[in-house]
Amino acid sequence: MSAIMIDGKAVAERIKAGLKVRVEKLQQSGKTPGLAVILVGSDPASRVYVNMKKKACAALGIYSEEYALAENTTETELLKLINDLNNNPNIHGILLQLPLPGHLDENKMLEAISPLKDVDGFHPVNVGKLMTGIPGFLPCTPAGVMDLIRESGISIAGKECVVVGRSNIVGKPQAILLLREHGTVTICHSRTPDLASVCRRADILVAAVGKAGLITAEMVKPGAVVIDVGVNRTPDGKLVGDVDFDQVYQVAGWITPVPGGVGPMTIAKLMENTVISAEN
Ligand code: NDP
């Protein structure tokens, strides 16, 4: 038996097609959704992500502004820019590309973004809303994963869900979103003993670690939904996830590829949050 492929690219295209119509409607009423993207420093991966986000904006008719700041930008300078964007009526979403250079306090900078323009869903106000179930901006990657799980047609209620990774941007919010849908959720991390046996319990397994090949076929329950958030570059330059795809594909019921799985969904959900912000 081999798994059914969950085509993130196709799902993302469907979401964006719906957004295009909503953007047109906003424009007819005299409003163009606007996204400001701030990039500090010259991390090559961050540059690629920023370019992808700008391209997605252009394709949907969303106005975007890029602020490419020098590596040695001070906290005061960055706070001033964020404050200006908070007060700019043409900007509905502010995205601060992470990671920031070490001298900038990431939490402090994220907290400076208005929760009403926090389209990444990282502001403590939106994190609190996520925890309590109050509508707010959901973080794009975990929200995209939820759409992909729905796409598999598998209901989450009562299912064993295992999330590997506990970062603030993926693992933790992912676990909360699965819990909100009534999954029985376990979060694993670098100090989880016997990761394999915990993963084997999962009906729905989400890997968000950043280690190529971490999830092997022996760690997957036959028929499970396997969502691979990881993005890793092999020594020969190939893009792979955290899941040993070729092997796990033989065991899982559903699986997301890398590339073409979670990645396109992250961008689609960012666009969605920006449109929602403009509609609000
Ligand atoms: P972080 O580095 O912030 O977190 C990684 C998590 O993995 C940590 O909680 C860490 O545990 C855990 N971990 C590390 N090693 C192991 C191990 N051997 N066994 C179990 N858990 C382990 O990464 P992010 O959450 O930011 O990103 C995770 C991956 O997802 C990366 O590859 C990233 O590039 C990718 N990503 C992809 C996106 C997309 O759109 N496709 C968007 C965002 C991220 P501990 O806390 O104990 O250190």
Side-chain angles (χ1 to χ4, degrees), residues 34-106:
L35 176 70
V37 183
I38 307 172
L39 173 63
V40 187
S42 53
D43 177 58
S46 293
R47 166 47 65 199
V48 171
Y49 292 134
V50 164
N51 288 349
M52 285 160 81
K53 289 164 187 174
K54 279 166 49 188
K55 208 170 139 200
C57 283
L60 295 184
I62 295 174
Y63 166 72
S64 74
E65 282 178 359
E66 180 191 313
Y67 295 87
L69 307 183
E71 184 87 26
N72 62 357
T73 299
T74 63
E75 280 198 357
T76 313
E77 287 166 335
L78 184 51
L79 287 172
K80 176 166 184 322
L81 172 61
I82 291 171
N83 189 47
D84 289 348
L85 293 169
N86 282 342
N87 293 315
N88 182 339
N90 297 324
I91 294 300
H92 305 95
I94 302 171
L95 183 142
L96 181 57
Q97 184 67 43
L98 302 179
L100 293 177
H103 66 283
L104 297 171
D105 180 341
E106 218 158 84

Side-chain angles (χ1 to χ4, degrees), residues 49 141 164-167 169-171 188-191 195 208-211 214 229-232 242 262-263 266:
Y49 292 134
T141 301
V164 191
R166 57 170 163 179
S167 72
I169 64 169
V170 191
C188 300
H189 45 79
S190 65
R191 304 201 196 176
L195 180 67
V209 175
K211 287 209 160 90
L214 179 74
V229 180
V231 177
N232 310 289
D242 292 339
V262 175
T266 298

Side-chain angles (χ1 to χ4, degrees), residues 54-263:
K54 279 166 49 188
K55 208 170 139 200
C57 283
L60 295 184
I62 295 174
Y63 166 72
S64 74
E65 282 178 359
E66 180 191 313
Y67 295 87
L69 307 183
E71 184 87 26
N72 62 357
T73 299
T74 63
E75 280 198 357
T76 313
E77 287 166 335
L78 184 51
L79 287 172
K80 176 166 184 322
L81 172 61
I82 291 171
N83 189 47
D84 289 348
L85 293 169
N86 282 342
N87 293 315
N88 182 339
N90 297 324
I91 294 300
H92 305 95
I94 302 171
L95 183 142
L96 181 57
Q97 184 67 43
L98 302 179
L100 293 177
H103 66 283
L104 297 171
D105 180 341
E106 218 158 84
N107 286 332
K108 190 172 163 190
M109 298 303 121
L110 291 174
E111 224 177 320
I113 296 172
S114 162
L116 299 173
K117 297 189 178 187
D118 169 41
V119 285
D120 251 342
F122 296 159
H123 190 284
V125 165
N126 285 315
V127 176
K129 287 182 172 177
L130 167 69
M131 287 292 289
T132 49
I134 298 169
F137 290 119
L138 297 178
C140 303
T141 301
V145 167
M146 297 305 284
D147 284 7
L148 292 182
I149 295 171
R150 275 184 215 109
E151 194 69 16
S152 72
I154 291 276
S155 73
I156 298 168
K159 295 283 160 48
E160 286 277 355
C161 305
V162 173
V163 179
V164 191
R166 57 170 163 179
S167 72
N168 288 335
I169 64 169
V170 191
K172 277 188 223 165
Q174 189 67 69
I176 300 298
L177 285 173
L178 289 162
L179 185 64
R180 270 171 46 163
E181 296 295 324
H182 317 293
T184 302
V185 184
T186 305
I187 308 178
C188 300
H189 45 79
S190 65
R191 304 201 196 176
T192 302
D194 199 2
L195 180 67
S197 71
V198 183
C199 288
R200 255 194 313 271
R201 295 205 310 251
D203 300 306
I204 297 169
L205 177 62
V206 181
V209 175
K211 287 209 160 90
L214 179 74
I215 306 297
T216 60
E218 298 72 46
M219 298 164 81
V220 175
K221 183 182 188 173
V225 179
V226 178
I227 308 283
D228 194 352
V229 180
V231 177
N232 310 289
R233 253 210 210 264
T234 60
D236 56 4
K238 208 174 142 210
L239 212 58
V240 297
D242 292 339
V243 174
D244 178 350
F245 184 88
D246 293 343
Q247 298 300 318
V248 172
Y249 180 68
Q250 310 296 327
V251 180
W254 288 263
I255 191 166
T256 60
V258 177
V262 175

Side-chain angles (χ1 to χ4, degrees), residues 257-274:
V258 177
V262 175
M265 291 300 290
T266 298
I267 306 237
K269 296 307 269 187
L270 172 69
M271 297 299 114
E272 186 173 85
N273 278 348
T274 306

